[in-house]
Amino acid sequence: MKEKDLKTIVREKYGRIAAHADALSGQSGCCSGSGCCGPAYTTFNENYEELAGYAADADLGLGCGLPTEFAGLKPGQSVLDLGSGAGNDCFVARAIVGESGWVTGLDFSDEMLERARKNAKKLGHLNVDFIAGDIDEMPLDNDRFDVVLSNCVLNLVPDKTKAFSEVFRVLKPGGHFCISDVVLQGELPDALKTDAEMYAGCVSGALSHEEYMEKIGQAGFSNIRVHKVRQIEIPKEIFYKYLSVEAYHQFNKEGRGIFSLTISADKPAV
């Protein structure tokens, strides 16, 4: 698929998720029974409910980690959340940076932006804003943010080299990012790679762990550190749509599989 087509698929899919979220309130994950997406959307998320700033209306169950837990956020900082969705990570970050800080959410889904802005208004947050834009071409100034966050989104960007380059550009010298994302150990079967539904479900857009690390280093980041690695158990019925039982078991041998990775790196101060 062309990059433009992949972006359209992701934008439309997550727009439908945002539109269905109210009807699915209180159910397990954002998509239960809705037909707007499959189990791949609901198997990655970690529990935010005990974190300060948590807002249930902003939690659509679409993350794959807790980047705010490892981001080293401090009062007064300026924070950017990439692929901010309904605002979940933004509101948790805002609870840490406080009234003296500022949190910006970037998303390219109009429906998600609308939900996030409504949530911020309902919560009375005046130092959280949400703007429209693509991660690989952000409408933001250079050297603007102390910290960049993202939760299970960069794997959806077709050109990850441009994405990490943009993250580097908008960070202040001495700033850092903390990202939770999906990576692979071993090659993903071609049938999964080429399926648009799985792409929008965060699986087939993922890089190998090694390639992901290389992209970060190539963008100019230093002091790369991995905080957490967690294997993601994709329901067998998803794999069996594309693979035989024998091929599925072969895929899971020798540590192969799909993993959630939470990682940080620094933009050099000079």
Side-chain angles (χ1 to χ4, degrees):
M1 283 191 183
K2 295 180 180 178
E3 180 177 326
K4 179 181 177 182
D5 296 331
L6 288 172
K7 284 188 175 183
T8 298
I9 289 167
V10 174
R11 182 183 288 109
E12 290 178 351
K13 199 69 176 181
Y14 282 84
R16 289 198 295 275
I17 291 172
H20 282 81
D22 289 331
L24 297 164
S25 178
Q27 297 187 35
S28 176
C30 75
C31 301
S32 300
S34 73
C36 73
C37 52
Y41 292 87
T42 63
T43 55
F44 302 161
N45 198 44
E46 293 198 31
N47 194 334
Y48 273 77
E49 293 181 7
E50 300 301 319
L51 300 182
Y54 174 77
D57 288 344
D59 185 4
L60 303 186
L62 297 172
C64 59
L66 297 172
T68 53
E69 186 176 29
F70 302 98
L73 298 174
K74 299 176 182 177
Q77 287 183 322
S78 176
V79 179
L80 171 65
D81 179 31
L82 302 177
S84 48
N88 194 25
D89 286 285
C90 289
F91 301 138
V92 174
R94 189 260 179 201
I96 302 172
V97 302
E99 297 287 350
S100 60
W102 191 275
V103 180
T104 296
L106 177 79
D107 207 289
F108 72 173
S109 164
D110 291 337
E111 294 86 354
M112 285 293 188
L113 289 166
E114 181 180 0
R115 290 194 68 86
R117 289 164 181 159
K118 286 182 178 178
N119 287 331
K121 184 177 181 179
K122 186 188 307 181
L123 294 166
H125 293 336
L126 301 179
N127 60 333
V128 180
D129 66 339
F130 295 93
I131 63 173
D134 285 36
I135 293 172
D136 56 7
E137 196 172 353
M138 299 186 211
L140 296 165
D141 294 335
N142 296 349
D143 306 331
R144 178 171 170 179
F145 297 96
D146 297 298
V147 183
V148 171
L149 304 172
S150 188
N151 195 346
C152 212
V153 174
L154 283 178
N155 57 80
L156 298 173
V157 180
D159 192 337
K160 293 167 183 62
T161 297
K162 287 178 64 179
F164 279 114
S165 177
E166 281 289 273
V167 173
F168 190 90
R169 180 182 66 80
V170 301
L171 275 170
K172 296 177 182 177
H176 66 276
F177 72 70
C178 188
I179 291 170
S180 294
D181 214 348
V182 173
V183 297
L184 307 175
Q185 292 283 12
E187 187 70 12
L188 196 69
D190 289 340
L192 291 174
K193 274 186 177 179
T194 57
D195 188 277
E197 182 79 7
M198 290 297 286
Y199 186 93
C202 302
V203 177
S204 62
L207 299 177
S208 71
H209 189 160
E210 295 77 12
E211 190 175 2
Y212 200 92
M213 293 293 195
E214 289 176 4
K215 297 286 185 185
I216 293 171
Q218 290 167 359
F221 289 101
S222 61
N223 193 24
I224 302 169
R225 50 214 182 269
V226 176
H227 301 287
K228 187 174 182 179
V229 178
R230 177 172 60 96
Q231 185 164 12
I232 294 169
E233 297 294 336
I234 301 297
K236 290 182 180 179
E237 58 266 26
I238 292 180
F239 278 106
Y240 289 162
K241 287 172 59 179
Y242 311 97
L243 304 176
S244 66
V245 173
E246 182 180 354
Y248 169 76
H249 289 298
Q250 183 65 32
F251 178 75
N252 284 299
K253 284 183 178 179
E254 299 177 356
R256 299 173 70 200
I258 301 167
F259 294 81
S260 166
L261 178 75
T262 300
I263 187 170
S264 295
D266 302 332
K267 179 175 178 176
V270 178

PDB file of all heavy atoms in Angstrom, residues 172-195:
ATOM      1  N   LYS A 172      13.240  20.257  22.950  1.00  0.00           N
ATOM      2  CA  LYS A 172      14.282  21.206  23.341  1.00  0.00           C
ATOM      3  C   LYS A 172      15.603  20.454  23.488  1.00  0.00           C
ATOM      4  O   LYS A 172      15.622  19.269  23.828  1.00  0.00           O
ATOM      5  CB  LYS A 172      13.942  21.852  24.681  1.00  0.00           C
ATOM      6  CG  LYS A 172      12.691  22.700  24.698  1.00  0.00           C
ATOM      7  CD  LYS A 172      12.419  23.215  26.106  1.00  0.00           C
ATOM      8  CE  LYS A 172      11.142  24.038  26.165  1.00  0.00           C
ATOM      9  NZ  LYS A 172      10.836  24.492  27.546  1.00  0.00           N
ATOM     10  N   PRO A 173      16.737  21.119  23.242  1.00  0.00           N
ATOM     11  CA  PRO A 173      18.020  20.484  23.551  1.00  0.00           C
ATOM     12  C   PRO A 173      18.040  20.065  25.022  1.00  0.00           C
ATOM     13  O   PRO A 173      17.679  20.833  25.908  1.00  0.00           O
ATOM     14  CB  PRO A 173      19.032  21.597  23.272  1.00  0.00           C
ATOM     15  CG  PRO A 173      18.362  22.460  22.243  1.00  0.00           C
ATOM     16  CD  PRO A 173      16.905  22.443  22.603  1.00  0.00           C
ATOM     17  N   GLY A 174      18.428  18.822  25.265  1.00  0.00           N
ATOM     18  CA  GLY A 174      18.399  18.298  26.619  1.00  0.00           C
ATOM     19  C   GLY A 174      17.079  17.646  26.985  1.00  0.00           C
ATOM     20  O   GLY A 174      16.956  17.057  28.061  1.00  0.00           O
ATOM     21  N   GLY A 175      16.084  17.739  26.109  1.00  0.00           N
ATOM     22  CA  GLY A 175      14.800  17.108  26.347  1.00  0.00           C
ATOM     23  C   GLY A 175      14.851  15.626  26.022  1.00  0.00           C
ATOM     24  O   GLY A 175      15.871  15.095  25.569  1.00  0.00           O
ATOM     25  N   HIS A 176      13.747  14.930  26.248  1.00  0.00           N
ATOM     26  CA  HIS A 176      13.724  13.493  25.993  1.00  0.00           C
ATOM     27  C   HIS A 176      12.324  13.035  25.607  1.00  0.00           C
ATOM     28  O   HIS A 176      11.346  13.752  25.817  1.00  0.00           O
ATOM     29  CB  HIS A 176      14.208  12.711  27.217  1.00  0.00           C
ATOM     30  CG  HIS A 176      13.310  12.818  28.412  1.00  0.00           C
ATOM     31  ND1 HIS A 176      13.381  13.880  29.294  1.00  0.00           N
ATOM     32  CD2 HIS A 176      12.319  12.003  28.885  1.00  0.00           C
ATOM     33  CE1 HIS A 176      12.478  13.719  30.258  1.00  0.00           C
ATOM     34  NE2 HIS A 176      11.820  12.585  30.026  1.00  0.00           N
ATOM     35  N   PHE A 177      12.253  11.840  25.041  1.00  0.00           N
ATOM     36  CA  PHE A 177      10.950  11.230  24.787  1.00  0.00           C
ATOM     37  C   PHE A 177      10.801   9.989  25.649  1.00  0.00           C
ATOM     38  O   PHE A 177      11.782   9.397  26.112  1.00  0.00           O
ATOM     39  CB  PHE A 177      10.742  10.902  23.310  1.00  0.00           C
ATOM     40  CG  PHE A 177      11.530   9.741  22.770  1.00  0.00           C
ATOM     41  CD1 PHE A 177      11.247   8.429  23.148  1.00  0.00           C
ATOM     42  CD2 PHE A 177      12.550   9.940  21.846  1.00  0.00           C
ATOM     43  CE1 PHE A 177      11.950   7.350  22.645  1.00  0.00           C
ATOM     44  CE2 PHE A 177      13.276   8.869  21.339  1.00  0.00           C
ATOM     45  CZ  PHE A 177      12.971   7.566  21.746  1.00  0.00           C
ATOM     46  N   CYS A 178       9.553   9.584  25.874  1.00  0.00           N
ATOM     47  CA  CYS A 178       9.230   8.291  26.477  1.00  0.00           C
ATOM     48  C   CYS A 178       8.039   7.735  25.722  1.00  0.00           C
ATOM     49  O   CYS A 178       6.959   8.336  25.721  1.00  0.00           O
ATOM     50  CB  CYS A 178       8.925   8.420  27.963  1.00  0.00           C
ATOM     51  SG  CYS A 178       8.738   6.807  28.779  1.00  0.00           S
ATOM     52  N   ILE A 179       8.240   6.606  25.067  1.00  0.00           N
ATOM     53  CA  ILE A 179       7.251   6.041  24.146  1.00  0.00           C
ATOM     54  C   ILE A 179       6.971   4.590  24.497  1.00  0.00           C
ATOM     55  O   ILE A 179       7.900   3.809  24.763  1.00  0.00           O
ATOM     56  CB  ILE A 179       7.777   6.128  22.693  1.00  0.00           C
ATOM     57  CG1 ILE A 179       7.826   7.591  22.228  1.00  0.00           C
ATOM     58  CG2 ILE A 179       6.940   5.278  21.749  1.00  0.00           C
ATOM     59  CD1 ILE A 179       8.542   7.783  20.906  1.00  0.00           C
ATOM     60  N   SER A 180       5.699   4.222  24.515  1.00  0.00           N
ATOM     61  CA  SER A 180       5.297   2.817  24.523  1.00  0.00           C
ATOM     62  C   SER A 180       4.858   2.467  23.109  1.00  0.00           C
ATOM     63  O   SER A 180       4.103   3.224  22.496  1.00  0.00           O
ATOM     64  CB  SER A 180       4.158   2.562  25.509  1.00  0.00           C
ATOM     65  OG  SER A 180       4.577   2.780  26.841  1.00  0.00           O
ATOM     66  N   ASP A 181       5.332   1.337  22.602  1.00  0.00           N
ATOM     67  CA  ASP A 181       5.044   0.997  21.216  1.00  0.00           C
ATOM     68  C   ASP A 181       5.100  -0.512  21.038  1.00  0.00           C
ATOM     69  O   ASP A 181       5.495  -1.246  21.944  1.00  0.00           O
ATOM     70  CB  ASP A 181       6.051   1.682  20.291  1.00  0.00           C
ATOM     71  CG  ASP A 181       5.447   2.091  18.953  1.00  0.00           C
ATOM     72  OD1 ASP A 181       4.326   1.644  18.651  1.00  0.00           O
ATOM     73  OD2 ASP A 181       6.096   2.855  18.223  1.00  0.00           O
ATOM     74  N   VAL A 182       4.709  -0.961  19.858  1.00  0.00           N
ATOM     75  CA  VAL A 182       4.712  -2.382  19.525  1.00  0.00           C
ATOM     76  C   VAL A 182       5.912  -2.688  18.634  1.00  0.00           C
ATOM     77  O   VAL A 182       6.155  -1.992  17.645  1.00  0.00           O
ATOM     78  CB  VAL A 182       3.408  -2.775  18.812  1.00  0.00           C
ATOM     79  CG1 VAL A 182       3.466  -4.213  18.315  1.00  0.00           C
ATOM     80  CG2 VAL A 182       2.220  -2.606  19.751  1.00  0.00           C
ATOM     81  N   VAL A 183       6.664  -3.708  18.998  1.00  0.00           N
ATOM     82  CA  VAL A 183       7.795  -4.168  18.193  1.00  0.00           C
ATOM     83  C   VAL A 183       7.694  -5.676  18.016  1.00  0.00           C
ATOM     84  O   VAL A 183       6.937  -6.353  18.721  1.00  0.00           O
ATOM     85  CB  VAL A 183       9.149  -3.804  18.832  1.00  0.00           C
ATOM     86  CG1 VAL A 183       9.310  -2.303  18.929  1.00  0.00           C
ATOM     87  CG2 VAL A 183       9.305  -4.459  20.204  1.00  0.00           C
ATOM     88  N   LEU A 184       8.485  -6.192  17.090  1.00  0.00           N
ATOM     89  CA  LEU A 184       8.468  -7.615  16.770  1.00  0.00           C
ATOM     90  C   LEU A 184       9.799  -8.270  17.115  1.00  0.00           C
ATOM     91  O   LEU A 184      10.853  -7.639  17.014  1.00  0.00           O
ATOM     92  CB  LEU A 184       8.203  -7.824  15.280  1.00  0.00           C
ATOM     93  CG  LEU A 184       6.978  -7.135  14.688  1.00  0.00           C
ATOM     94  CD1 LEU A 184       6.950  -7.367  13.189  1.00  0.00           C
ATOM     95  CD2 LEU A 184       5.712  -7.635  15.347  1.00  0.00           C
ATOM     96  N   GLN A 185       9.728  -9.516  17.519  1.00  0.00           N
ATOM     97  CA  GLN A 185      10.896 -10.375  17.584  1.00  0.00           C
ATOM     98  C   GLN A 185      10.674 -11.463  16.543  1.00  0.00           C
ATOM     99  O   GLN A 185       9.746 -12.264  16.658  1.00  0.00           O
ATOM    100  CB  GLN A 185      11.042 -10.995  18.977  1.00  0.00           C
ATOM    101  CG  GLN A 185      11.382 -10.002  20.070  1.00  0.00           C
ATOM    102  CD  GLN A 185      12.853  -9.591  20.051  1.00  0.00           C
ATOM    103  OE1 GLN A 185      13.578  -9.874  19.104  1.00  0.00           O
ATOM    104  NE2 GLN A 185      13.280  -8.896  21.082  1.00  0.00           N
ATOM    105  N   GLY A 186      11.496 -11.450  15.516  1.00  0.00           N
ATOM    106  CA  GLY A 186      11.292 -12.379  14.414  1.00  0.00           C
ATOM    107  C   GLY A 186      10.374 -11.764  13.365  1.00  0.00           C
ATOM    108  O   GLY A 186       9.667 -10.794  13.611  1.00  0.00           O
ATOM    109  N   GLU A 187      10.397 -12.336  12.192  1.00  0.00           N
ATOM    110  CA  GLU A 187       9.652 -11.793  11.053  1.00  0.00           C
ATOM    111  C   GLU A 187       8.158 -12.076  11.174  1.00  0.00           C
ATOM    112  O   GLU A 187       7.739 -13.190  11.506  1.00  0.00           O
ATOM    113  CB  GLU A 187      10.184 -12.410   9.760  1.00  0.00           C
ATOM    114  CG  GLU A 187       9.617 -11.802   8.495  1.00  0.00           C
ATOM    115  CD  GLU A 187      10.094 -10.377   8.240  1.00  0.00           C
ATOM    116  OE1 GLU A 187      11.050  -9.926   8.913  1.00  0.00           O
ATOM    117  OE2 GLU A 187       9.517  -9.721   7.363  1.00  0.00           O
ATOM    118  N   LEU A 188       7.340 -11.034  10.928  1.00  0.00           N
ATOM    119  CA  LEU A 188       5.891 -11.210  10.906  1.00  0.00           C
ATOM    120  C   LEU A 188       5.489 -11.858   9.576  1.00  0.00           C
ATOM    121  O   LEU A 188       5.967 -11.461   8.521  1.00  0.00           O
ATOM    122  CB  LEU A 188       5.215  -9.850  11.035  1.00  0.00           C
ATOM    123  CG  LEU A 188       3.731  -9.830  11.406  1.00  0.00           C
ATOM    124  CD1 LEU A 188       3.539 -10.300  12.828  1.00  0.00           C
ATOM    125  CD2 LEU A 188       3.159  -8.433  11.240  1.00  0.00           C
ATOM    126  N   PRO A 189       4.621 -12.856   9.595  1.00  0.00           N
ATOM    127  CA  PRO A 189       4.199 -13.492   8.337  1.00  0.00           C
ATOM    128  C   PRO A 189       3.610 -12.491   7.351  1.00  0.00           C
ATOM    129  O   PRO A 189       2.919 -11.546   7.750  1.00  0.00           O
ATOM    130  CB  PRO A 189       3.141 -14.494   8.811  1.00  0.00           C
ATOM    131  CG  PRO A 189       3.507 -14.799  10.216  1.00  0.00           C
ATOM    132  CD  PRO A 189       4.048 -13.504  10.771  1.00  0.00           C
ATOM    133  N   ASP A 190       3.887 -12.703   6.069  1.00  0.00           N
ATOM    134  CA  ASP A 190       3.449 -11.762   5.034  1.00  0.00           C
ATOM    135  C   ASP A 190       1.946 -11.528   5.052  1.00  0.00           C
ATOM    136  O   ASP A 190       1.477 -10.423   4.797  1.00  0.00           O
ATOM    137  CB  ASP A 190       3.877 -12.263   3.657  1.00  0.00           C
ATOM    138  CG  ASP A 190       5.372 -12.171   3.441  1.00  0.00           C
ATOM    139  OD1 ASP A 190       6.021 -11.385   4.166  1.00  0.00           O
ATOM    140  OD2 ASP A 190       5.896 -12.858   2.560  1.00  0.00           O
ATOM    141  N   ALA A 191       1.177 -12.565   5.355  1.00  0.00           N
ATOM    142  CA  ALA A 191      -0.279 -12.422   5.350  1.00  0.00           C
ATOM    143  C   ALA A 191      -0.747 -11.398   6.367  1.00  0.00           C
ATOM    144  O   ALA A 191      -1.720 -10.673   6.145  1.00  0.00           O
ATOM    145  CB  ALA A 191      -0.939 -13.774   5.630  1.00  0.00           C
ATOM    146  N   LEU A 192      -0.048 -11.307   7.486  1.00  0.00           N
ATOM    147  CA  LEU A 192      -0.402 -10.319   8.499  1.00  0.00           C
ATOM    148  C   LEU A 192       0.103  -8.933   8.104  1.00  0.00           C
ATOM    149  O   LEU A 192      -0.571  -7.928   8.315  1.00  0.00           O
ATOM    150  CB  LEU A 192       0.191 -10.713   9.848  1.00  0.00           C
ATOM    151  CG  LEU A 192      -0.398 -11.945  10.527  1.00  0.00           C
ATOM    152  CD1 LEU A 192       0.412 -12.284  11.774  1.00  0.00           C
ATOM    153  CD2 LEU A 192      -1.845 -11.712  10.903  1.00  0.00           C
ATOM    154  N   LYS A 193       1.297  -8.880   7.545  1.00  0.00           N
ATOM    155  CA  LYS A 193       1.898  -7.603   7.177  1.00  0.00           C
ATOM    156  C   LYS A 193       1.034  -6.812   6.205  1.00  0.00           C
ATOM    157  O   LYS A 193       0.937  -5.592   6.272  1.00  0.00           O
ATOM    158  CB  LYS A 193       3.265  -7.830   6.528  1.00  0.00           C
ATOM    159  CG  LYS A 193       4.406  -7.947   7.484  1.00  0.00           C
ATOM    160  CD  LYS A 193       5.698  -8.010   6.690  1.00  0.00           C
ATOM    161  CE  LYS A 193       6.900  -8.056   7.593  1.00  0.00           C
ATOM    162  NZ  LYS A 193       8.158  -8.140   6.831  1.00  0.00           N
ATOM    163  N   THR A 194       0.431  -7.506   5.268  1.00  0.00           N
ATOM    164  CA  THR A 194      -0.268  -6.823   4.185  1.00  0.00           C
ATOM    165  C   THR A 194      -1.736  -6.567   4.485  1.00  0.00           C
ATOM    166  O   THR A 194      -2.438  -5.965   3.674  1.00  0.00           O
ATOM    167  CB  THR A 194      -0.172  -7.650   2.891  1.00  0.00           C
ATOM    168  OG1 THR A 194      -0.705  -8.962   3.130  1.00  0.00           O
ATOM    169  CG2 THR A 194       1.270  -7.778   2.445  1.00  0.00           C
ATOM    170  N   ASP A 195      -2.208  -6.976   5.644  1.00  0.00           N
ATOM    171  CA  ASP A 195      -3.619  -6.810   5.963  1.00  0.00           C
ATOM    172  C   ASP A 195      -3.870  -5.444   6.597  1.00  0.00           C
ATOM    173  O   ASP A 195      -3.316  -5.106   7.631  1.00  0.00           O
ATOM    174  CB  ASP A 195      -4.074  -7.908   6.925  1.00  0.00           C
ATOM    175  CG  ASP A 195      -5.577  -7.888   7.116  1.00  0.00           C
ATOM    176  OD1 ASP A 195      -6.040  -7.088   7.937  1.00  0.00           O
ATOM    177  OD2 ASP A 195      -6.276  -8.635   6.422  1.00  0.00           O
TER     178      ASP A 195
END
